[in-house]
Amino acid sequence: MNDLTDRATAPMTASERLALGPMSTRQIIVIMLCLFINAVDGFDVQVTAFTAPAIAAHWNLGPDVLGMVLSAGLFGMGIGALLLSPIGDIYGRKPLIVGSLLIVALGMLLSTFCGTVAALALARLFTGFGIGGLISSVGTMVAEFSSDRRRGLVLGLMAISFPAGAMLCAAISAPLISRFGWQSVFLAGAIFTALIIPFIMAFMPESILYLMSSRRADAKEKLASTLRVMSLPQAGAAGEAERLVRHSAGRFSALILGDFRWRSLNLGGLFLCSMLTFYFILNWAPKLVVEAGAPMGSALTIGLLINLGGLGGGIAAGLAIPYFGLKMTGRAALLAMAVTVVAFGALVAGRIGSALGPLLGGLLLSRGFEIFATSTILVVPAIIAAIIFTDFAHRPVTEAEMSPV
């Protein structure tokens, strides 16, 4: 009883204040910066899709080679997420974010000057490498600096900021391509990415949880400085740091070998299958519409509408989850994506016969598959994802999974 009383009357620690207290101005600034980074990601990831018709015409590319270019950035994202994420655990989230943004800005700039399709694919691979480093670090910062009460809203804003950035890319692509060529869109992305870096360096603090768990010699000093700047309590910081260090060992091995392995496999399979379908339609829609006889402006409008739908879907999902639950909402979203992709294929089928989603789509189209057949094949992963999601949602959480890793 005394323990419970002491715990109830003890002052909040820094992490408890972040999670349970009202969001401060500094927290809101961190979240806003993360939203801008996510919007820049949306621009930089989708730029190849919106310039694909012009790139294909410039070099007279077939669907298989174009699919390679479209997938290069996505492969780079996977490699970057795998190789760069551990750097954040060693040197901190803020240096990783700044370094990744520099890579992305340089990759977009290099794309502007590519003279061959192979050089463009390598530049996109390099750009994706930087975006991969941003994915995990920005998500970590959002989870840490958003309060429990506002976390759902913040995650909803993160979900719609990505298509918002892609919509900006779609909106400026047509006038830039018609006047300056497809390279100008990549240059615009490089400028947008570079502009956000000074704001990150000036206003984004280091992750408090990273500083608490870090074994670096200057970690305690930086933690105290960050807590002062954020107006967070320093009481209990030493105890929190000791607990985080004690539980930090073996986290990754527990995810793939311990009690979490089936959930990790389910989540990995869910993400892989849904992204196959998602990135197929996201990357190939503008090019397929052009091949079906529509003008460039109409193709870019299709890309804009797809991302507008993503923005609306993020808002709708955020409103639906409290009423229908995550399971039903997620399953409905995945099945709706499958139906929509088939419908898109049916609408443009018959006009042409001619990463893994964009790459597989390019290979199928280059082998003579009709658009409807290609679209139908590539909705199978979305249906599998819905099945995995249903099984995942029904699987009970074990006691071991509830305990700290």
Side-chain angles (χ1 to χ4, degrees), residues 112-403:
T112 305
F113 300 103
C114 290
T116 66
V117 65
L120 180 60
L122 288 174
R124 292 303 297 162
L125 185 72
F126 183 71
T127 304
F129 186 74
I131 294 174
L134 291 172
I135 291 173
S136 58
S137 51
V138 171
T140 300
M141 296 293 281
V142 167
E144 179 177 340
F145 284 95
S146 58
S147 67
D148 288 349
R149 182 182 179 187
R150 301 297 183 188
R151 185 162 288 118
L153 172 63
V154 171
L155 292 177
L157 291 173
M158 283 292 289
I160 65 177
S161 61
F162 185 93
M167 288 171 60
L168 173 63
C169 184
I172 69 173
S173 289
L176 285 179
I177 292 173
S178 62
R179 189 167 183 180
F180 304 107
W182 59 265
Q183 296 90 342
S184 61
V185 188
F186 287 90
L187 181 60
I191 294 172
F192 291 152
T193 305
L195 285 176
I196 198 174
I197 295 176
F199 293 95
I200 300 298
M201 297 179 67
F203 300 110
M204 180 172 281
E206 181 54 271
S207 163
I208 294 172
L209 294 180
Y210 160 74
L211 292 173
M212 286 182 174
S213 61
S214 175
R215 295 178 173 88
R216 296 180 60 180
D218 59 348
K220 288 185 179 180
E221 181 181 344
K222 288 186 176 181
L223 174 61
S225 175
T226 301
L227 292 177
R228 283 196 300 271
V229 171
M230 296 288 296
S231 300
L232 292 170
Q234 300 198 28
E240 279 193 292
E242 182 181 348
R243 177 180 58 82
L244 287 170
V245 170
R246 188 170 62 250
H247 290 303
S248 62
R251 285 181 176 176
F252 183 73
S253 61
L255 288 175
I256 60 176
L257 299 175
D259 297 301
F260 293 90
R261 63 184 181 277
W262 290 115
R263 290 188 178 272
S264 298
L265 289 172
N266 272 341
L267 284 173
L270 171 63
F271 191 76
L272 172 64
C273 291
S274 60
M275 290 299 102
L276 273 170
T277 303
F278 175 73
Y279 277 108
F280 161 69
I281 193 64
L282 212 58
N283 282 276
W284 271 105
K287 171 62 175 170
L288 293 178
V289 170
V290 168
E291 292 291 338
M296 176 74 74
S298 298
L300 295 176
T301 300
I302 290 294
L304 180 66
L305 291 175
I306 289 174
N307 284 281
L308 180 62
L311 191 150
I315 296 174
L319 295 174
I321 287 173
Y323 295 97
F324 301 103
L326 178 61
K327 178 180 67 177
M328 184 177 293
T329 305
R331 185 168 50 193
L334 288 166
L335 292 176
M337 179 171 67
V339 171
T340 305
V341 172
V342 172
F344 171 80
L347 286 173
V348 298
R351 294 300 300 272
I352 65 172
S354 105
L356 292 177
L359 181 60
L360 182 56
L363 291 174
L364 290 173
L365 290 168
S366 67
R367 296 298 184 272
F369 282 80
E370 295 287 342
I371 297 178
F372 179 71
T374 302
S375 301
T376 303
I377 291 171
L378 285 168
V379 301
V380 173
I383 297 172
I384 295 174
I387 295 171
I388 294 174
F389 184 85
T390 302
D391 175 71
F392 182 81
H394 278 100
R395 190 181 294 273
V397 179
T398 65
E399 184 177 347
E401 292 173 331
M402 291 292 291
S403 62

